[in-house]
């Protein structure tokens, strides 16, 4: 949506003045939504307030300064005259170069002295404005020549114009304009990069559809939040088919973001604007990945390094030792790809000349090793193996396999195999992983060191867990490992490490299979105060899930927060971070902590980490929250984008859950055909998912079926699922199923619901307890109180159903006042979901017959009895009889009161 700051080709010496007759160019995007609308409003307010001299927008090339300015200018009324001038690298070398178009209208005698130039400009603008206020838009103000800068400042200071300027940085703006800012006469607004929320909103607005979380984050990361980069990159990905559109949403295909075409040209142009020394530093860092600060200072000019850091092109970490790298890794990748081989080799020689070989190889991690290989250097097996491990940890299996190929046939063979198998598993290539394992049978593994043998056994167990083939028994594999470790009588670090990894594998497998009693038994000795290693931290995370599922939600949430906090101080692989965060999000959703889940999502999305450290649950997390909150339009688009993304990339097997939630959202929205098709997709076999993920998918599947009219069958199945989970002590999922059955209309469940909610801790259990009490006492006030609390917690679905129960109880009690209150509460919640079917749900199922409902809706819409009779092909007496029953059942006395109860238009209601 943001356009390139330069409306003219880079380096052009042209300038232009825009007057009202030409201003239609500012309205190109007038009616389309855009990001940073509030900022535009602030610019307009500054320009029209009459205070000060105006405003200056400061931001990097492509930050959207010109776009913001133009959107503000197009909102000015006819009482304003807009004049535009633009600085450039060529005009900056000419006296009054940026003002040449305006000066062409002046007599030559006016150009002899600056004071005469100023008088001439004032008179010219006065004549052109015809009494209107003048807004002077100066684009690329940092490229104004000294005299132009002085004229702009004088015009502004004398109140002859209101200034709107855009520049890359203030230090390069002329001293006269800088003086206005220093004297607080010119307001400054800095335009930083887009954050993730702004990026997602911009993509949605510009390309007409929701982008999946993975696609949006990939484009955000690649563009660095720069508006120009973002759109160049997005257009290229759409053109190449890397970003794909389906059902009105966009998602990232199987391949990574392609750094070609327009975005590469833009980066190359930026690179060409760097000085020679700055370019040397930038290219070297792009190729090396990272270089120690002290080392870089031996081969680069510190002034060049400072200049790059001031422009936020490179960054220095606070590690020991401090490391320097390119700020945007995607730009680094593009720059590295365009450096010619000969120059790359020369930069490599300059670096290695001041480092030992091992230091040079390790300096940039996996990137540095790849550079060495590209330059034809020999890499030792140890260095290549370390690089493969780093690549696997950073979710780059392709790089890991490349490094492994460099040491194929050499020692160390087993560590090489371990990294190779791990890389294949991470891309779901189980067949290649199994082939790699076949060479390491029991005979070959007999004399292996304990750490290597343990790693191979755990990989075998992981493959068997993923397999649906008969005979796969990951538990037996882990028992074999446990027997080996039980025979170890020493307590060496290797033995203790193997035991920790075994405990994690046992807990993880039990969790995956839904054996939560086993999880609690295995993790009983977890010390929440000692989470200083990845296995300990992950083991605590699995225990957290088990505590929640078995009913101890409060303790689970407390432990989950401790685990999350510990991730900040422990170096973790991408997969470990993904597991911890995904499990915690799942816990929040299971326990209906929707407000907390929303805050967790917002905090996580705001971070700059790649999607590989978030995972599949984050693809649909916000959509699940939107469903429960009744924001169905947002929910459907988010869930559809997430569903298609997970169909393309689903390492954590969340696609089934995404489909089930999509079906439920569509059913709530009244899209019955779409919901039916999605439910049909669920019947197709797919890779096995974790037990808890499958239970949640089942819950949403049954909830969707109930919304589609299969209420009786769904209630029976929900009850059966709740009984099964209760029998296995999976109390939290059981409560979820049982509460749905109760809310859907089974009045006989209140006793079981009350008993079960007493066995589960937490906010949702308390809500279910109040629902059960209200149903038992047929107390509409208690039910409405539960509805209000549920709505406040972000669970409008629960609130809607509780309000329907309140309507039914008040109606049965004949309490007219309570009924009206409950009906209004229900109607308000039904309206939020937006489906015509929702507005009449309780009337058609618990109060009125279908025929009575049809008459009631038409009467509430103001239709006369005679007209209703004609429309329904019945007699007026029949209509009157139906209305009598309606008034009696709903405890209303007139059409106006009936209208308060039924607000759904007759032509949109599902009648018959």
């Amino acid at each position: 949506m943001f356009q390139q700051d330069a409306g003219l080709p880079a380096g052009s010496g042209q300038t232009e003045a825009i007057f009202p007759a030409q201003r239609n160019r500012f309205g190109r995007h007038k009616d389309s939504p855009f990001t940073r609308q509030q900022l535009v409003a602030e610019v307009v307010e500054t320009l029209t307030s009459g205070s000060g001299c105006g405003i200056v927008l400061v931001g990097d090339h492509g930050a959207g300064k010109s776009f913001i300015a133009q959107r503000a200018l197009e909102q000015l009324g006819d009482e304003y005259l807009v004049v535009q001038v633009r600085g450039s690298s060529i005009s900056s070398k000419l006296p009054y170069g940026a003002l040449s178009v305006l000066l062409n209208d002046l007599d030559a005698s006016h150009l002899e002295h600056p004071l005469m130039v100023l008088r001439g400009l004032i008179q010219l603008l006065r004549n052109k404005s015809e009494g209107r206020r003048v807004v002077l838009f100066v684009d690329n103000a940092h490229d104004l020549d000294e005299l132009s800068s002085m004229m702009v400042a004088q015009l502004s200071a004398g109140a002859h114009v209101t200034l709107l300027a855009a520049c890359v940085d203030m230090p390069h703006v002329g001293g006269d304009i800088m003086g206005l800012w220093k004297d607080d006469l010119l307001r400054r607004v800095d335009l930083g990069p887009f954050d993730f929320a702004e990026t997602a909103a911009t993509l949605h607005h510009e390309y007409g559809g929701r982008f999946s979380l993975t696609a949006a984050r990939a484009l955000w990361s690649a563009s660095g939040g720069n508006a120009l980069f973002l759109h160049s990159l997005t257009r290229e990905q759409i053109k190449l088919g890397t970003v794909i559109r389906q059902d009105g949403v966009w998602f990232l295909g199987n391949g990574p973001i392609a750094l070609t075409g327009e975005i590469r040209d833009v980066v190359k142009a930026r690179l060409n604007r760097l000085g020679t020394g700055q370019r040397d530093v930038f290219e070297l860092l792009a190729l090396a990945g990272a270089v120690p600060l002290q080392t870089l200072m031996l081969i680069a000019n510190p002034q060049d390094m400072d200049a790059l850091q001031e422009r936020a092109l490179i960054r220095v970490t606070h590690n020991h030792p401090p490391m320097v790298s390119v700020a945007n890794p995607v730009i680094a990748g593009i720059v590295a790809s365009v450096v010619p081989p000969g120059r790359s080799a020369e930069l490599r020689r300059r670096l290695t000349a001041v480092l030992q070989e091992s230091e040079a190889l390790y300096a940039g991690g996996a990137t540095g090793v790849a550079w060495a290989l590209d330059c034809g250097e020999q890499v030792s097996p140890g260095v290549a193996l370390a690089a493969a491990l780093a690549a696997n940890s950073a979710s780059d299996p392709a790089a890991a396999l490349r490094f492994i190929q460099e040491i194929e046939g050499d020692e160390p063979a087993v560590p090489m195999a371990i990294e190779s198998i791990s890389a294949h598993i991470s891309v779901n290539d189980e067949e290649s992983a199994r082939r790699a394992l076949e060479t390491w049978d029991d005979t070959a593994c007999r004399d292996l060191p304990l750490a290597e043998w343990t790693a191979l056994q755990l990989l075998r167990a992981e493959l068997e867990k993923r397999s649906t083939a008969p005979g796969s028994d990951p538990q037996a594999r882990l028992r074999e490992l446990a027997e080996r470790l039980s025979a170890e009588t020493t307590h060496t670090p290797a033995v203790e490490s193997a035991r920790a990894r075994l405990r994690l594998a046992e807990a993880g497998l039990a969790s995956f299979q839904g054996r939560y009693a086993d999880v609690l038994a295995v993790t009983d000795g977890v010390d929440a105060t000692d989470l200083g290693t990845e296995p300990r931290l992950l083991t605590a995370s699995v225990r957290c899930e088990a505590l929640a599922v078995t009913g101890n939600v409060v303790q689970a949430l407390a432990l989950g927060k401790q685990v999350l906090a510990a991730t900040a101080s422990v170096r973790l692989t991408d997969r470990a971070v993904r597991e911890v965060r995904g499990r915690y999000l799942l816990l929040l959703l299971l326990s209906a902590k929707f407000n907390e889940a929303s805050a967790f999502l917002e905090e996580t999305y705001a971070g700059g980490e790649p999607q590989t450290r978030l995972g599949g649950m984050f693809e649909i997390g916000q959509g699940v929250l939107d469903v429960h909150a009744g924001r169905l339009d947002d929910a459907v688009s988010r869930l559809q984008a997430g569903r298609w993304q997970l169909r393309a990339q689903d390492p954590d097997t969340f696609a089934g859950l995404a489909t089930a939630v999509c079906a439920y959202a569509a059913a709530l929205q009244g899209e019955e055909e779409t919901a039916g098709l999605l439910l049909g997709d669920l019947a197709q076999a797919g890779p096995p998912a974790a037990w808890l993920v499958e239970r949640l998918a089942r819950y949403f599947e049954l909830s969707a079926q109930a919304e589609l009219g299969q209420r009786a069958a769904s209630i029976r199945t929900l009850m059966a699922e709740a009984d099964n989970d209760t029998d296995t002590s999976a109390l939290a999922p059981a409560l979820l199923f049982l509460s749905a059955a109760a809310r859907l209309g089974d009045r006989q469940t209140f006793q079981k619901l009350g008993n079960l909610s007493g066995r589960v801790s937490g906010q949702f259990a308390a809500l279910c307890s109040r629902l059960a009490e209200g149903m038992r006492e047929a107390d509409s006030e208690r039910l409405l109180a539960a509805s209000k609390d549920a709505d406040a917690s972000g669970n409008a679905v629960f609130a809607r159903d509780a309000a329907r129960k309140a309507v039914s109880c008040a109606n049965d009690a004949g309490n007219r006042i309570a009924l009206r209150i409950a009906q209004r509460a229900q109607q308000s919640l039904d309206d939020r979901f937006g489906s015509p079917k929702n507005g009449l749900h309780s009337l058609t199922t618990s109060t009125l017959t279908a025929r009575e409902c049809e008459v009631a809706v038409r009467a509430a819409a103001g239709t006369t009895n005679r007209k209703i009779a004609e429309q329904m092909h019945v007699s007026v007496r029949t209509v009157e009889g139906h209305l009598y029953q309606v008034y009696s059942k709903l405890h209303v006395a007139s059409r106006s009161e009936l209208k308060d109860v039924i607000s759904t238009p007759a032509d949109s209601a599902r009648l018959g």
Side-chain angles (χ1 to χ4, degrees):
M1 175 169 45
F2 286 104
Q3 307 300 312
Q4 186 170 352
D5 280 344
L8 300 172
S12 169
Q14 300 181 48
T15 57
E16 54 185 329
I18 305 297
F19 296 97
Q22 300 166 281
R23 280 182 57 196
N24 58 359
R25 66 170 287 181
F26 287 127
R28 287 177 298 181
H29 304 276
K30 189 172 183 178
D31 299 324
S32 61
F34 60 94
T35 308
R36 295 183 172 174
Q37 288 178 287
Q38 181 58 39
L39 177 58
V40 170
E42 292 175 9
V43 173
V44 173
E45 171 64 23
T46 301
L47 295 177
T48 58
S49 66
S51 61
C53 292
I55 189 169
V56 57
L57 304 176
V58 183
D60 195 12
H61 294 286
K65 302 182 297 297
S66 298
F67 182 85
I68 292 292
Q70 290 173 2
R71 292 307 299 259
L73 293 173
E74 72 186 18
Q75 295 186 27
L76 299 178
D78 293 336
E79 66 272 24
Y80 289 89
L81 172 72
V82 176
V83 178
Q84 176 173 334
V85 296
R86 180 178 180 275
S88 70
S89 58
I90 295 178
S91 66
S92 66
K93 298 177 175 61
L94 304 173
Y96 301 114
L99 302 178
S100 59
V101 172
L102 293 176
L103 297 180
N104 286 338
D105 292 337
L106 298 182
D107 188 272
S109 62
H110 289 155
L111 306 180
E112 296 177 358
H113 190 276
L115 183 59
M116 298 181 67
V117 172
L118 178 62
R119 289 175 178 172
L121 287 173
I122 293 172
Q123 186 61 47
L124 173 67
L125 294 174
R126 183 176 296 137
N127 294 338
K128 292 283 187 180
S129 66
E130 299 178 346
R132 289 166 292 178
R133 294 176 61 181
V134 179
V135 173
L136 177 62
F137 173 35
V138 181
D139 204 0
N140 287 354
H142 53 277
D143 277 334
L144 291 181
D145 62 279
E146 185 176 348
L147 288 172
S148 293
S149 176
M150 180 178 68
M151 287 300 118
V152 169
Q154 290 296 322
L155 289 170
S156 303
H160 303 293
V161 302
T162 300
L163 179 61
L164 172 58
C167 64
V168 171
D169 52 23
M170 288 298 287
H172 290 86
V173 173
D176 295 280
I177 296 178
M178 177 75 82
L180 296 177
W181 172 60
K182 289 181 177 179
D183 292 339
D184 291 330
L185 297 174
L186 189 64
R187 180 185 174 191
R188 170 177 174 169
V189 174
D190 289 279
L191 292 184
F194 281 167
D195 61 23
F196 174 68
E198 290 174 322
T199 297
T202 297
L203 291 171
H204 179 68
H205 292 155
E206 178 71 9
Y207 298 97
R210 183 84 61 182
F211 278 63
S212 73
L213 180 67
T214 296
R217 289 190 74 82
L219 292 167
W220 177 48
S221 175
S223 66
N226 182 283
L228 175 60
F229 276 19
L230 176 65
H231 291 296
S232 297
L233 196 66
T234 305
R235 287 191 294 267
E236 188 69 19
Q237 305 317 301
I238 293 173
K239 177 181 176 182
L240 295 172
T242 307
V243 172
I244 304 165
R245 186 179 179 91
Q246 189 74 40
D247 290 344
V249 297
W250 299 91
F251 64 96
L252 186 66
N254 285 320
I257 293 292
L259 307 176
T260 59
E262 183 180 345
I263 183 64
R264 178 173 289 196
D265 294 339
V266 170
V267 172
K268 288 172 67 176
R270 296 281 177 88
L271 186 64
N272 290 335
R273 287 200 289 267
L274 297 178
T276 302
Q278 294 175 16
R279 181 165 181 164
D280 286 350
V281 174
F282 200 74
E283 289 182 339
L284 186 145
L285 291 175
L287 291 162
V291 174
L293 175 61
Q294 294 300 321
T295 300
L296 190 60
M297 293 179 67
L298 296 175
I299 55 178
N301 187 327
Q303 293 180 343
D304 292 328
M305 295 165 57
D306 290 342
L308 291 172
Q309 190 173 10
E310 287 176 4
R311 297 178 61 182
L313 293 175
I314 65 174
R315 61 185 173 196
V316 181
T317 70
H318 298 289
N319 300 338
H320 297 287
M323 302 293 290
V324 188
S325 61
V326 174
N328 186 316
V330 177
I331 293 179
I334 295 175
V335 171
S337 69
V338 299
V339 175
R343 177 164 172 77
S344 174
E346 172 58 27
L347 290 171
R348 180 73 187 170
R349 283 192 293 271
R350 290 173 61 181
L351 177 62
T352 55
V354 295
L355 288 177
Q356 298 294 325
E357 178 187 4
S358 59
E359 292 176 329
L361 290 170
Y362 280 118
T367 304
V369 175
W371 184 23
L373 294 173
D374 290 339
C375 292
E377 295 182 22
Q378 293 293 321
V379 176
S380 68
V383 168
L385 186 60
L389 176 60
N392 271 332
S393 298
S395 301
D396 190 359
L401 291 172
R402 179 196 179 187
F403 299 141
I404 291 165
Q405 289 171 358
E406 294 297 324
I407 54 175
E408 189 169 3
D410 295 327
E411 294 293 338
V414 177
M416 176 185 70
I418 291 170
E419 296 307 320
S420 175
I421 295 163
S422 298
H424 288 306
I425 289 177
S426 68
V427 293
N428 294 322
D429 186 2
E430 282 89 356
E431 185 58 35
S432 295
R434 289 190 182 92
R435 285 199 301 269
L437 266 173
E438 286 175 358
T439 58
W440 299 98
D441 55 19
D442 292 340
T443 302
C445 293
R446 184 176 301 153
D447 298 323
L448 290 179
L450 179 62
E452 295 180 356
W453 184 79
T454 298
L456 290 174
Q457 288 294 92
L458 292 177
L459 289 171
R460 286 192 174 94
E462 177 65 23
L463 286 172
E464 290 176 350
K465 181 183 80 173
R466 294 164 172 255
S467 175
T468 57
S472 294
D473 190 354
Q475 278 184 268
R477 186 71 61 182
L478 294 180
R479 281 196 298 269
E480 183 181 349
L481 175 55
E483 291 171 2
R484 165 81 182 266
L485 291 177
S486 65
E488 295 287 341
T489 58
T490 61
H491 296 279
T492 64
V495 172
E496 292 305 312
S497 174
R499 286 174 177 159
R501 296 177 67 187
L502 171 62
R503 180 167 65 172
L504 172 59
E506 289 175 330
L509 179 60
S511 169
F512 185 85
Q513 296 177 338
R515 297 181 285 107
Y516 288 101
D518 291 346
V519 175
L520 293 176
V522 168
T523 63
D524 188 43
V526 166
D527 182 0
T529 64
D530 184 11
L531 303 176
T533 65
E534 182 173 300
R536 289 177 184 173
L537 196 147
L538 287 173
T539 302
S541 175
V542 179
R543 181 174 178 81
C544 174
E545 178 183 318
L547 288 169
V549 170
T550 54
N552 200 336
V553 174
V554 172
Q555 186 179 346
L557 287 170
L559 178 58
K561 290 177 181 178
Q562 287 180 279
V563 171
L564 278 177
T567 60
S569 55
V570 180
R571 185 164 185 170
L572 300 172
T573 63
D574 283 5
R575 179 179 177 180
V577 175
R578 188 168 66 242
E579 286 186 20
V580 168
R581 288 176 172 169
R583 192 171 284 119
Y584 185 71
L585 177 57
L586 209 57
L587 163 62
L588 292 175
L589 297 178
L590 174 66
S591 55
K593 302 281 286 185
F594 297 130
N595 291 338
E596 291 82 350
S598 180
F600 179 53
L601 286 175
E602 183 176 351
E603 178 185 354
T604 307
Y605 291 161
E609 293 182 303
Q611 178 66 12
T612 53
R613 295 174 75 84
L614 301 186
M617 193 61 222
F618 285 85
E619 277 292 352
I620 59 173
Q622 188 60 54
V624 173
L625 296 180
D626 288 338
V627 166
H628 285 94
R631 300 184 292 265
L632 295 183
D633 287 340
D634 284 340
V636 168
S637 65
R638 291 184 198 279
L639 291 168
Q640 279 283 49
R643 173 175 168 267
W644 280 106
Q645 185 62 66
L646 291 171
R647 291 184 66 171
Q649 303 174 20
D650 187 22
D652 304 314
T653 58
F654 281 105
L657 175 57
T659 301
V661 184
C662 271
Y664 184 43
L668 285 171
Q669 205 173 37
E671 299 292 337
E672 296 183 359
E673 183 178 355
T674 299
L677 291 173
L678 289 167
L679 290 175
D681 287 347
L682 282 175
Q684 301 178 10
W691 182 90
L692 183 55
V693 174
E694 291 187 340
R695 296 310 288 155
L696 289 176
R698 181 64 169 156
Y699 166 77
F700 285 112
E701 177 186 11
L702 293 173
S703 298
Q705 290 174 356
E707 291 290 333
L708 294 178
Q710 305 170 37
R711 296 174 61 80
S714 296
I715 289 172
R716 287 194 300 271
T717 309
L718 285 165
M719 295 283 289
E721 297 285 6
D723 289 341
N724 290 337
D725 285 350
T726 302
D727 290 343
T728 60
S729 297
L731 302 184
L735 186 62
L736 204 60
F737 285 111
L738 191 59
S739 68
R743 290 185 286 106
L744 287 169
D746 193 329
R747 299 189 180 187
Q748 306 307 312
T749 60
F750 66 82
Q751 187 67 45
K752 296 179 72 173
L753 182 61
N755 292 338
L756 182 57
S757 61
R759 300 171 61 188
V760 179
S761 64
Q763 174 182 307
F764 181 67
L767 204 56
C768 290
S769 178
R770 297 177 67 183
L771 177 67
E773 290 174 6
M775 292 171 63
R776 183 180 66 246
E777 303 296 332
D779 188 335
S780 62
E781 290 186 9
R782 287 190 182 185
L783 290 168
L784 279 180
S787 173
K788 183 178 179 180
D789 288 346
D791 193 24
S793 70
N795 197 344
V797 174
F798 193 110
R800 177 203 66 175
D801 294 345
R804 288 175 177 173
K805 290 293 183 187
V807 169
S808 179
C809 290
N811 182 72
D812 291 345
N815 187 334
R816 182 174 178 178
I817 296 176
L819 179 62
R820 295 295 297 279
I821 295 173
Q823 286 170 336
R824 288 193 181 99
Q826 178 208 320
Q827 190 65 58
S828 174
L829 288 160
D830 282 335
D831 289 345
R832 191 181 307 175
F833 287 89
S835 168
K837 185 175 181 180
N838 280 312
L840 301 175
H841 185 282
S842 65
L843 297 178
T844 58
T845 59
S846 61
T847 308
L848 304 181
T849 66
R851 204 66 165 167
E852 290 167 351
C853 184
E854 185 174 0
V855 171
V857 170
R858 296 184 189 278
T863 309
T864 65
N865 289 359
R866 182 172 299 279
K867 187 67 174 178
I868 294 173
E870 292 175 1
Q871 292 172 345
M872 297 178 63
H873 307 291
V874 296
S875 67
V876 175
R877 185 180 295 274
T878 299
V879 172
E880 291 172 347
H882 283 315
L883 273 179
Y884 176 81
Q885 293 296 325
V886 169
Y887 285 4
S888 176
K889 290 181 177 180
L890 298 184
H891 300 279
V892 297
S894 65
R895 268 177 158 79
S896 61
E897 291 184 2
L898 181 63
K899 186 176 181 180
D900 287 340
V901 176
I902 305 174
S903 62
T904 306
D907 59 355
S908 66
R910 301 176 182 274
L911 304 175

